[in-house]
């Protein structure tokens, strides 16, 4: 997805678990602002939670951002990393599903994920599938890596095909 970065308002979200991580919060906000500057995003609001566990789905800064997103005030939300946004897979996937339903982008800087890009949509679809745990190999028995490089100026269709042989 090619955004018209400067035309819409964006939410930037940062969080630290303890108030002693003040410099960590500053570093996250600095990285988010740098991203906005690089993309030409001039209209944004910074939401943050300092000293609040990510295990809590309800946090003052995040709640404000989510309310504004639900009201259609933002094109998307940018976070420093998944772990700053949500500490549980369930919370993350529920939020990503809500963003998808609202046609709101979710960008994680650390993981280089943008849910409105073709690759981001594919990865979201893969991670959001409900597969019974008994069908999944244990993390000790296998691993895989996806390494994809796409020219940032390319805005055309992208196709990603992945398969796994469960019979092996």
């Amino acid at each position: 997805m090619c955004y018209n970065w400067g035309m819409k308002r964006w939410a930037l979200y940062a969080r630290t678990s303890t108030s002693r991580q003040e410099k960590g919060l500053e570093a996250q906000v600095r990285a988010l602002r740098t991203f906005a500057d690089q993309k030409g995003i001039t209209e944004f609001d910074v939401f943050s939670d300092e000293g609040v566990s990510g295990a809590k789905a309800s946090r003052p800064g995040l709640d404000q951002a989510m309310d504004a997103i639900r009201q259609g005030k933002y094109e998307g939300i940018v976070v420093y990393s998944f772990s700053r946004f949500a500490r549980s897979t369930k919370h993350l996937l529920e939020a990503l599903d809500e963003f998808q339903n609202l046609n709101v982008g979710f960008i994680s800087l650390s993981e280089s994920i943008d849910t409105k890009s073709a690759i981001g949509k594919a990865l979201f679809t893969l991670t959001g599938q409900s597969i019974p745990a008994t069908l999944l190999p244990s993390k000790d028995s296998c691993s895989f890596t996806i390494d994809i490089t796409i020219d940032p100026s390319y805005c055309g269709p992208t196709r990603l095909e992945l398969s796994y042989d469960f019979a092996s």
Side-chain angles (χ1 to χ4, degrees), residues 78-96:
V78 183
V79 300
Y80 183 74
S81 72
F82 285 159
S83 68
R84 300 299 84 204
F85 182 78
R87 296 296 287 179
S88 79
T89 304
K90 179 183 179 199
H91 179 226
L92 177 63
L93 291 176
E94 286 173 350
L96 291 176

Side-chain angles (χ1 to χ4, degrees), residues 13-18 21 24-25 28 32 49 51-57 59 62 78-93 95-96 106-113:
Y13 179 74
R15 180 193 64 79
T16 57
S17 300
T18 68
Q21 294 175 306
L25 189 65
Q28 288 177 50
L32 294 168
D49 288 301
V52 181
S53 170
K56 296 179 180 179
R59 294 170 247 149
L62 181 60
V78 183
V79 300
Y80 183 74
S81 72
F82 285 159
S83 68
R84 300 299 84 204
F85 182 78
R87 296 296 287 179
S88 79
T89 304
K90 179 183 179 199
H91 179 226
L92 177 63
L93 291 176
L96 291 176
F106 176 88
I107 297 172
S108 173
L109 301 183
S110 296
E111 290 85 9
S112 298
I113 295 289

Side-chain angles (χ1 to χ4, degrees), residues 29-133:
V29 171
R30 189 169 44 255
L32 294 168
R33 287 179 183 271
T34 298
F35 174 82
D37 185 53
Q38 290 172 345
K39 295 296 183 182
I41 300 171
T42 57
E43 296 292 323
F44 61 84
D45 294 308
V46 176
F47 298 89
S48 64
D49 288 301
E50 185 177 2
V52 181
S53 170
K56 296 179 180 179
S58 179
R59 294 170 247 149
L62 181 60
D63 292 348
Q64 287 178 334
M66 294 299 292
D67 288 344
I69 287 168
R70 290 177 185 120
Q71 294 170 21
K73 294 182 178 179
Y74 298 103
E75 170 81 7
I77 183 168
V78 183
V79 300
Y80 183 74
S81 72
F82 285 159
S83 68
R84 300 299 84 204
F85 182 78
R87 296 296 287 179
S88 79
T89 304
K90 179 183 179 199
H91 179 226
L92 177 63
L93 291 176
E94 286 173 350
L96 291 176
D97 190 47
E98 183 173 2
F99 294 149
Q100 185 178 35
N101 291 333
L102 294 169
N103 195 31
V104 169
F106 176 88
I107 297 172
S108 173
L109 301 183
S110 296
E111 290 85 9
S112 298
I113 295 289
D114 174 353
T115 60
K116 280 192 151 184
S117 72
I119 298 299
K121 284 181 184 179
L123 291 175
F124 171 73
T125 300
L126 290 172
T127 58
Q129 295 301 310
S130 179
I131 301 172

